[in-house]
Amino acid sequence: MNLAPALDWILDSTVKGLPPAAGATRLSDIGARKWNLLKGDLPLPAAVIERDALHHNSKWMRGFLELTKVGFSPHGKTTMAPQLFDLQLRDGAWAITVATMHQLKICRAFGIGRVLMANQLTGRLEIDAVLDELASDPAFDFYCLIDSLEGVALLRDAAARRKIGRPLQLLLEGGVAGGRTGARTLDQALTVARAVGEAGPLLALRGVEGFEGLIGGDTPQEQDSKVAAFIDFLVAIARACADENLFAPGPVILTAGGSAFFDLAATRLHNELGGRETQVIIRSGCYLTHDSKSYRELVERLIERLPAARKLGDGLKAALFVWAYVQSRPEPGKVIATMGKRDVGFDVTLPVLDRWYRANLHTAPQPASTLSGEHKVTGLNDQHAHIEVPDDSPLQVGDRLCFGVSHPCTTFDRWQLIYEVDAAMNVVGGIRTYF
Amino acid sequence: MNLAPALDWILDSTVKGLPPAAGATRLSDIGARKWNLLKGDLPLPAAVIERDALHHNSKWMRGFLELTKVGFSPHGKTTMAPQLFDLQLRDGAWAITVATMHQLKICRAFGIGRVLMANQLTGRLEIDAVLDELASDPAFDFYCLIDSLEGVALLRDAAARRKIGRPLQLLLEGGVAGGRTGARTLDQALTVARAVGEAGPLLALRGVEGFEGLIGGDTPQEQDSKVAAFIDFLVAIARACADENLFAPGPVILTAGGSAFFDLAATRLHNELGGRETQVIIRSGCYLTHDSKSYRELVERLIERLPAARKLGDGLKAALFVWAYVQSRPEPGKVIATMGKRDVGFDVTLPVLDRWYRANLHTAPQPASTLSGEHKVTGLNDQHAHIEVPDDSPLQVGDRLCFGVSHPCTTFDRWQLIYEVDAAMNVVGGIRTYF
């Protein structure tokens, strides 16, 4: 990868999170500025990634992939941070997954050679852009999803127009009733697969894909069993396609596994496909920073399902946090902080108070668990957080609060600049996102 | 204003929404590229502002201000688009309102001379940055909120350290029990006001502020009457401060009025303050693009409350939309579109389908109301929208869908580039946001 477009980015006073007196600052120089969050060198709110937890998670996933013998194409949409893609590729990722043409363009701008678009490619402009990219770089390896005959026709017509000399590689998407995209039945899937086969050599069916992350259940056990059944359905689609010899040459790619159930994908996609070589790819995007609530709970369940993962040591650790000030304590039981919908995700659950710090009193951030009584984020406005606290909570105007997030994707997309910090909250680098 | 930093922005392939083959493009040149959304010149999803509606709303607000004889400081946090601030200032805005130091820095980078920070200023770094800005430009006029003795101490100490030679101008914030920031009682408010008075000439109390937009009620009538009572409470605070002669010289500023109740602020803040000259300022940020759901309903109520506003002609019109493709019709009753949480707000209600368009069939977008049966957005994932449709809906893969938003603030912040389009969906310009 070529990280220069990110590292050479010159930040100015229009970038949220940069100290107001910093002046024009190259991203790669941020670590040398000796800023420290606790010393008040950063304006708040500020988003930080804790380096130790980040590298722990990176190592944990390497171990998981070795344990389960699967390939990895982490979903780039989570972070949209080429510097983190680079870490993931160095950790052995086979490709980076994207959801949109914009995200693909970011990967290509940074020299990523293999991209899995875990999505349909629909617009003519978008299809042509992908074909042009494939034409311009014979080494570029690209896959996208297909789930309808209309989609096959759009891609086939574009490929016929563009004549790039090699097939557009497709993964047949399986879905669930009431779910998102993807063929609902084996018959529907095979109908699409046959149409792809007929559109050869313009199109090539290279595998089967599914996303299990939206499957619900009344209990965790029911959810797990529905997810397992869905992954088995993907294998059944692949087996039927193999039986009809609908796959193009090369290993058959079998891919599923978002950030909550990648164990089930890793263990159940491994299957016999009538002698065809297979390549199992999981796609978690959230493992790298993990979170403090929704994925924390989901990954605890994952490790219960796959006790062998305990061999990898401590599980994933939350690495992404947003810091803010207490700006008002307007009632004894209420604290208002300088962080809102513009700064932190709220789509799965609200953020959670993780630590607090008072200058001139503390030498290090104090865990929220040391505050007696519950301190609970009860709401966010665009630029404010509402926190319910006990009447005798010590929090006061000027205190710094550190919030853990729930669903990292929707916190990453609120920042162009995320600070990388060490355990003492020294800024050791800056990470740029491209949303 | 100096719009050069926005207009001279060179967009490249890393900017979401720019056509992939556009190459490096100066923002001010976008209108000359002759792109048309319906001809497929833009990648989707794309966010657009419809010029006619924008200018209608701009004119409507000018009329409203003339009708009610109040001043205006539109909240910049809604759009964070200096090009739109410029339109608002040309429409006679007295100041631009902001919520954070970052937003203040954006205003200053574009040469805005008067800023009302409708928020507490808490961190030492942030306070010092404001004081330095005031010191560096004697013409810069700035106001921020105060609601606690701790806040007074922080500001006073910083002003004493920085010695900028003129007072930091404060507005005393009134609040409601269970609400956000702001003094809950007249006694609390007066305690803070007296502390500001004692901190003169470092600090100067210049008025009273409140935000009524979060006040709820079991019925619209109850909500309206609570909002009215709150605005009367602000006047009572101002009267008590005037009685104690706590205001610094100059007109007393009385400001409230977000995007839902600015009529009540405009009509009830006008009051006698013991002979002191007053200046009433409302602060709506959302009127300019309005929306298709939450503010549409709230502003319909506003016009019912103030029938004189009917004289201004048609009410506010929705100007902000997000376009996406149908990418899958996986079940007869379900459409999946290429737009998700990354592209459109979902914090108040989900977006609403407004129009649809099929190339080679339609000459113009067709109102969603011409589709028989309800077409309802039922959910968003990060990059997808789920739409429930009748089984016989004509929508098919490749159709373009235009969605109206609910709460513009949380759609603006998902785009750095928003296209300005005319009625035929020709791109006539680009608007840059700074979140």
Side-chain angles (χ1 to χ4, degrees):
Chain A
M1 276 187 73
N2 167 26
L3 290 176
L7 299 177
D8 292 344
W9 179 39
I10 308 289
L11 296 81
D12 63 23
S13 65
T14 64
V15 176
K16 184 172 80 163
L18 194 72
T25 304
R26 189 179 303 268
L27 186 69
S28 57
D29 292 339
I30 280 181
R33 300 294 290 268
K34 308 274 182 206
W35 291 327
N36 182 290
L37 189 146
L38 303 178
K39 291 185 181 145
D41 297 331
L42 305 182
L44 302 187
V48 302
I49 288 178
E50 300 189 3
R51 186 173 59 177
D52 294 348
L54 181 79
H55 288 281
H56 168 84
N57 296 341
S58 156
K59 187 178 161 202
W60 187 94
M61 183 55 87
R62 283 202 308 273
F64 182 89
L65 299 173
E66 283 161 23
L67 178 74
T68 55
K69 316 277 186 231
V70 296
F72 192 33
S73 179
H75 210 317
K77 66 144 183 165
T78 296
T79 70
M80 286 309 293
Q83 292 156 282
L84 299 179
F85 299 169
D86 182 57
L87 174 62
Q88 294 172 315
L89 291 168
R90 286 188 281 117
D91 280 347
W94 172 77
I96 296 295
T97 296
V98 300
T100 68
M101 188 210 62
H102 164 69
Q103 295 173 359
L104 165 65
K105 293 292 282 184
I106 300 299
C107 288
R108 295 301 290 163
F110 286 85
I112 292 174
R114 184 180 290 118
V115 176
L116 194 169
M117 182 179 281
N119 212 352
Q120 281 70 32
L121 190 56
T122 303
R124 178 168 169 159
L125 186 84
E126 288 82 350
I127 301 169
D128 286 354
V130 168
L131 293 170
D132 291 349
E133 193 70 33
L134 285 163
S136 73
D137 178 2
F140 175 42
D141 196 19
F142 175 83
Y143 305 81
C144 67
L145 308 187
I146 190 78
D147 73 345
S148 71
L149 296 177
E150 294 83 357
V152 172
L154 288 170
L155 297 178
R156 182 197 58 214
D157 294 351
R161 264 197 329 267
R162 233 55 179 186
K163 297 188 185 62
I164 62 165
R166 54 176 170 143
L168 184 59
Q169 304 180 103
L170 303 179
L171 305 177
L172 178 59
E173 182 172 26
V176 291
R180 196 161 70 192
T181 45
R184 281 8 184 187
T185 67
L186 196 56
D187 271 355
Q188 287 171 9
L190 279 169
T191 303
V192 175
R194 290 175 195 133
V196 175
E198 284 160 21
L202 295 169
L203 308 181
L205 190 66
R206 290 298 319 278
V208 173
E209 187 272 357
F211 177 59
E212 75 296 330
L214 301 172
I215 295 172
D218 289 337
T219 64
Q221 293 70 29
E222 187 191 279
Q223 187 183 29
D224 290 354
S225 93
K226 283 183 174 179
V227 168
F230 172 65
I231 292 170
D232 294 347
F233 171 57
L234 300 180
V235 174
I237 293 174
R239 195 164 286 142
C241 290
D243 288 348
E244 289 197 27
N245 203 24
L246 296 171
F247 288 119
V252 174
I253 295 165
L254 298 175
T255 175
S259 297
F261 301 100
F262 54 83
D263 59 313
L264 293 173
T267 53
R268 300 183 87 93
L269 284 174
H270 273 306
N271 258 286
E272 259 308 302
L273 284 192
R276 288 293 298 255
E277 185 190 348
T278 60
Q279 189 170 7
V280 173
I281 304 289
I282 62 172
R283 304 194 307 270
S284 172
C286 296
Y287 77 98
L288 193 55
T289 62
H290 199 51
D291 73 15
S292 301
K293 177 74 180 164
S294 60
Y295 282 105
R296 193 193 69 188
E297 293 167 0
L298 288 162
V299 173
E300 280 169 6
R301 276 175 54 194
L302 184 152
I303 290 175
E304 280 171 28
R305 285 190 305 260
L306 192 73
R310 293 223 169 79
K311 287 186 238 163
L312 308 174
D314 285 351
L316 297 173
K317 298 182 181 182
L320 178 64
F321 295 91
V322 178
W323 285 78
Y325 283 111
V326 173
Q327 68 177 95
S328 185
R329 179 95 183 258
E331 299 171 19
K334 187 157 208 172
V335 159
I336 303 293
T338 62
M339 171 190 82
K341 295 176 191 171
R342 254 67 186 272
D343 311 303
V344 69
F346 54 89
D347 56 316
V348 177
T349 73
L350 289 166
V352 292
L353 184 64
D354 191 76
R355 275 161 283 175
W356 72 293
Y357 178 83
R358 183 176 300 161
N360 305 325
L361 174 66
H362 297 143
T363 54
Q366 307 297 300
S369 58
T370 61
L371 290 165
S372 74
E374 193 179 22
H375 287 63
K376 186 182 167 66
V377 178
T378 57
L380 294 175
N381 304 141
D382 287 357
Q383 318 280 170
H384 299 83
H386 297 245
I387 306 145
E388 205 175 277
V389 303
D391 286 359
D392 62 353
S393 168
L395 297 185
Q396 68 184 36
V397 172
D399 286 344
R400 292 189 182 89
L401 304 178
C402 173
F403 296 91
V405 312
S406 191
H407 187 196
C409 303
T410 48
T411 293
F412 270 103
D413 66 16
R414 274 133 179 91
W415 299 90
Q416 289 181 271
L417 167 65
I418 298 179
Y419 290 105
E420 193 177 351
V421 295
D422 69 13
M425 297 296 137
N426 294 304
V427 173
V428 295
I431 291 169
R432 180 174 181 180
T433 68
Y434 289 83
F435 287 98
Chain B
M1 276 186 72
N2 167 26
L3 290 176
L7 298 176
D8 291 345
W9 180 40
I10 307 289
L11 296 82
D12 63 23
S13 65
T14 64
V15 177
K16 185 171 81 163
L18 194 72
T25 303
R26 189 180 302 269
L27 186 69
S28 57
D29 292 339
I30 280 181
R33 299 294 291 266
K34 308 274 182 208
W35 291 327
N36 182 290
L37 189 147
L38 303 178
K39 289 183 182 148
D41 296 331
L42 305 183
L44 302 186
V48 302
I49 288 178
E50 299 190 1
R51 184 172 61 177
D52 294 348
L54 181 79
H55 288 281
H56 168 84
N57 296 341
S58 156
K59 187 177 160 205
W60 187 94
M61 184 55 87
R62 283 203 307 273
F64 182 89
L65 299 173
E66 284 162 22
L67 179 73
T68 54
K69 315 278 184 230
V70 296
F72 191 34
S73 179
H75 210 316
K77 65 145 184 167
T78 296
T79 71
M80 285 308 293
Q83 294 157 282
L84 299 180
F85 298 170
D86 182 58
L87 174 63
Q88 295 173 315
L89 291 168
R90 286 189 280 116
D91 281 347
W94 172 77
I96 296 294
T97 296
V98 301
T100 68
M101 189 210 61
H102 164 69
Q103 295 172 0
L104 165 65
K105 293 291 283 183
I106 301 299
C107 288
R108 296 299 291 164
F110 286 85
I112 291 174
R114 183 180 290 118
V115 175
L116 193 169
M117 181 179 282
N119 212 351
Q120 280 70 32
L121 190 57
T122 304
R124 179 169 168 157
L125 187 85
E126 289 82 349
I127 301 169
D128 286 354
V130 168
L131 293 171
D132 290 350
E133 192 71 34
L134 285 163
S136 72
D137 179 2
F140 175 42
D141 195 20
F142 175 82
Y143 305 80
C144 69
L145 307 188
I146 190 76
D147 73 345
S148 71
L149 296 177
E150 294 82 358
V152 172
L154 288 169
L155 298 178
R156 182 197 58 215
D157 293 352
R161 266 197 328 267
R162 233 52 181 188
K163 297 188 184 62
I164 61 166
R166 54 176 170 143
L168 184 59
Q169 303 180 102
L170 303 180
L171 305 177
L172 177 59
E173 182 172 26
V176 291
R180 197 161 71 192
T181 45
R184 280 12 182 184
T185 66
L186 195 56
D187 271 356
Q188 287 171 10
L190 278 170
T191 303
V192 175
R194 289 175 195 132
V196 175
E198 284 160 21
L202 295 169
L203 308 181
L205 189 67
R206 289 299 317 278
V208 174
E209 187 271 357
F211 177 58
E212 75 296 329
L214 300 173
I215 295 172
D218 289 337
T219 63
Q221 292 70 28
E222 185 190 280
Q223 187 182 29
D224 290 354
S225 92
K226 284 182 171 179
V227 167
F230 172 66
I231 292 170
D232 294 346
F233 170 58
L234 300 179
V235 173
I237 293 174
R239 195 165 285 143
C241 291
D243 287 348
E244 290 197 27
N245 203 24
L246 296 170
F247 288 118
V252 173
I253 294 166
L254 298 175
T255 175
S259 296
F261 300 100
F262 54 83
D263 59 313
L264 292 175
T267 52
R268 300 183 87 92
L269 285 174
H270 272 306
N271 257 286
E272 260 308 301
L273 286 191
R276 287 294 298 256
E277 185 189 348
T278 61
Q279 188 171 7
V280 172
I281 304 289
I282 62 171
R283 305 195 305 269
S284 171
C286 297
Y287 77 96
L288 193 56
T289 63
H290 199 51
D291 73 14
S292 301
K293 178 74 182 164
S294 60
Y295 282 104
R296 193 193 69 189
E297 293 168 1
L298 287 163
V299 173
E300 280 169 7
R301 275 175 54 195
L302 184 152
I303 290 174
E304 280 172 27
R305 285 190 304 261
L306 192 74
R310 294 225 168 80
K311 286 187 235 160
L312 308 174
D314 286 351
L316 297 173
K317 298 182 179 181
L320 178 64
F321 296 91
V322 178
W323 285 79
Y325 282 110
V326 173
Q327 68 176 96
S328 186
R329 179 93 183 259
E331 299 171 17
K334 187 156 208 172
V335 159
I336 304 292
T338 62
M339 170 190 83
K341 294 177 192 173
R342 253 69 186 270
D343 311 303
V344 69
F346 54 89
D347 56 315
V348 178
T349 73
L350 290 165
V352 292
L353 184 64
D354 191 76
R355 278 161 280 175
W356 71 294
Y357 178 83
R358 182 175 301 161
N360 304 323
L361 174 65
H362 297 142
T363 53
Q366 307 295 301
S369 57
T370 62
L371 290 165
S372 73
E374 194 179 21
H375 287 63
K376 185 180 168 69
V377 178
T378 57
L380 294 175
N381 303 142
D382 287 357
Q383 318 281 169
H384 299 83
H386 296 245
I387 306 145
E388 205 176 276
V389 304
D391 286 359
D392 62 355
S393 168
L395 296 186
Q396 68 184 36
V397 172
D399 287 343
R400 292 189 183 91
L401 303 178
C402 173
F403 296 90
V405 311
S406 192
H407 187 194
C409 302
T410 48
T411 292
F412 269 103
D413 66 17
R414 275 134 178 91
W415 299 90
Q416 289 181 269
L417 167 65
I418 298 179
Y419 290 105
E420 192 176 352
V421 295
D422 69 12
M425 297 296 137
N426 294 303
V427 173
V428 295
I431 291 169
R432 180 174 182 183
T433 68
Y434 289 81
F435 288 98

